[in-house]
Amino acid sequence: MAEIQLKSISKRWGSFVGVQSFDLTIPDREFLVLLGPSGCGKTTTMRMIAGLEGITEGEILVDGKRVNDLDPKDRDVAMVFQSYALYPNMSVYENIRFPLKVRGIDPSTHNEKVMRASAMVELDDFLHRKPAELSGGQRQRVALARAIVREPNVFLMDEPLSNLDAKLRVSTRAQIKNLSHELAVTTIYVTHDQIEAMTLADRVVVMNKGVVQQVGTPTDIYDNPANTFVASFIGSPAMNLIDGTVSGGTFTAPKTSVAGTGLPDGDVTLGFRAEDASLATAGEGQITANIYSLELLGDATMITVRIGPSLVSVKADKSFRAEIGDPVSIAIPHDQCHFFDAGSGQRLQN
């Protein structure tokens, strides 16, 4: 059982701010993902929770107990890193067993615990091998088993899939999802991959430049991004963003007109997702432009047009046929239009 409270934690190195006033309560058994680009502060946040990085300001509480001054070994957390950090001279069995030996766990229980952890990540056929004899995916599973065997209060995972190829990432991601369900342990997972965040998380924390941009369920963040940074970071493709102006309730930009926005006059950014828009009869959509590129995705065709400096995408049926340069009309349902302040990037209520 572990509820984690982060109370205004910050990390600074001189004038450089790594993490700024991070406030969050992580309920027991939640799978929380810290998401953002490189250098946004997500790994620093995790390292502060683990005790590997000192805190400049704020408090970390685990089940109400302040742990700021506890050594990493006393925080009852298990970490899985991007690099597998396995002992090359030990077998898989001994690598998994190692945390039990270090922590002085009763040796008579070791075999049962190792075999249970091994079975969870399907390593029973590889226990006699050395790490050098394993694939990248198998090594990552050894690292997972080594964390599981400790039966910690908290799992911390720092980009554990980033060294795997695309196919292995998908299968290992499914394994982590299933493990989190089986183990029911509070998990904090760091990634820059928004697909990992969307598929694994109970809640996602989107970070940028050390500052939390939005906290919510994957659905919340996808459907209602708090600002243009979140809108442009979440989704594949990212949300289309078009800079324009509202006048008399109508948003206008090159080749674009959306009436009835309900917004006051001013500079505004329109956002909408490719799958929420559709092709319309000529002249009946809010956007009329020439095709810039076409991509067959298998289940759909992605059409891209250029609106000023922006490339804007819309998904069409896989049977759609056209040529680059052909005109298209794009319709956006009114309830799928998102508007952001052009200066601050913050979401506007319309």
Side-chain angles (χ1 to χ4, degrees), residues 49-225:
I49 294 167
L52 300 173
E53 195 76 66
I55 298 172
T56 308
E57 289 169 2
E59 288 186 312
I60 298 177
L61 297 113
V62 178
D63 288 334
K65 179 185 175 184
R66 188 177 187 273
V67 300
N68 288 38
D69 303 319
L70 290 184
D71 290 336
K73 65 182 176 62
D74 298 322
R75 297 196 184 194
D76 199 14
V77 300
M79 286 198 75
V80 180
F81 296 96
Q82 177 179 348
S83 59
Y84 316 121
L86 303 179
Y87 297 102
N89 59 321
M90 293 183 185
S91 66
V92 168
Y93 183 96
E94 288 300 330
N95 264 286
I96 298 172
R97 182 186 174 204
F98 189 74
L100 301 176
K101 293 168 69 175
V102 169
R103 295 173 71 83
I105 304 297
D106 179 0
S108 68
T109 67
H110 286 196
N111 188 65
E112 180 187 349
K113 290 178 183 289
V114 170
M115 296 309 294
R116 175 177 172 269
S118 167
M120 280 188 166
V121 294
E122 300 172 15
L123 281 173
D124 290 358
D125 294 338
F126 305 97
L127 291 173
H128 62 285
R129 295 192 187 182
K130 299 283 178 67
E133 302 172 80
L134 303 177
S135 69
Q138 289 162 348
R139 289 182 208 176
Q140 192 56 277
R141 279 150 54 194
V142 176
L144 284 169
R146 188 177 55 190
I148 291 165
V149 81
R150 283 193 48 197
E151 299 174 3
N153 269 333
V154 182
F155 279 120
L156 303 177
M157 300 189 183
D158 189 6
E159 307 223 24
L161 307 185
S162 58
N163 285 345
L164 305 182
D165 64 42
K167 187 177 179 182
L168 265 177
R169 274 203 300 275
V170 173
S171 59
T172 310
R173 191 170 72 219
Q175 201 157 36
I176 289 173
K177 180 82 170 179
N178 183 263
L179 275 174
S180 73
H181 175 75
E182 279 191 45
L183 296 168
V185 173
T186 307
T187 302
I188 301 172
Y189 186 104
V190 162
T191 184
H192 63 273
D193 185 324
Q194 51 94 17
I195 293 174
E196 283 179 32
M198 297 293 285
T199 53
L200 289 172
D202 295 321
R203 279 194 304 164
V204 179
V205 178
V206 184
M207 299 182 69
N208 188 37
K209 297 179 180 177
V211 177
V212 174
Q213 303 294 311
Q214 188 171 359
V215 181
T217 66
T219 303
D220 288 340
I221 286 175
Y222 188 83
D223 290 344
N224 301 295

Side-chain angles (χ1 to χ4, degrees), residues 260-276:
T261 65
L263 295 172
D265 293 357
D267 293 337
V268 169
T269 300
L270 165 68
F272 65 93
R273 295 207 176 273
E275 68 271 21
D276 292 332

Side-chain angles (χ1 to χ4, degrees), residues 305-335:
V305 300
R306 182 181 283 283
I307 307 294
S310 302
L311 294 177
V312 170
S313 300
V314 58
K315 274 189 178 178
D317 190 83
K318 63 182 179 181
S319 61
F320 176 79
R321 295 291 180 269
E323 301 292 333
I324 289 176
D326 287 354
V328 289
S329 185
I330 298 171
I332 317 158
H334 195 272
D335 61 355

Side-chain angles (χ1 to χ4, degrees), residues 237-243 251 253-256 269-279 286-295 301-315 328-332:
M239 182 176 281
N240 296 307
L241 296 172
I242 302 171
D243 292 330
F251 172 89
K255 307 171 188 175
T256 307
T269 300
L270 165 68
F272 65 93
R273 295 207 176 273
E275 68 271 21
D276 292 332
S278 60
L279 296 182
Q286 289 93 336
I287 296 174
T288 302
N290 296 334
I291 295 173
Y292 183 80
S293 74
L294 285 165
E295 299 168 273
T301 301
M302 189 70 75
I303 302 163
T304 302
V305 300
R306 182 181 283 283
I307 307 294
S310 302
L311 294 177
V312 170
S313 300
V314 58
K315 274 189 178 178
V328 289
S329 185
I330 298 171
I332 317 158

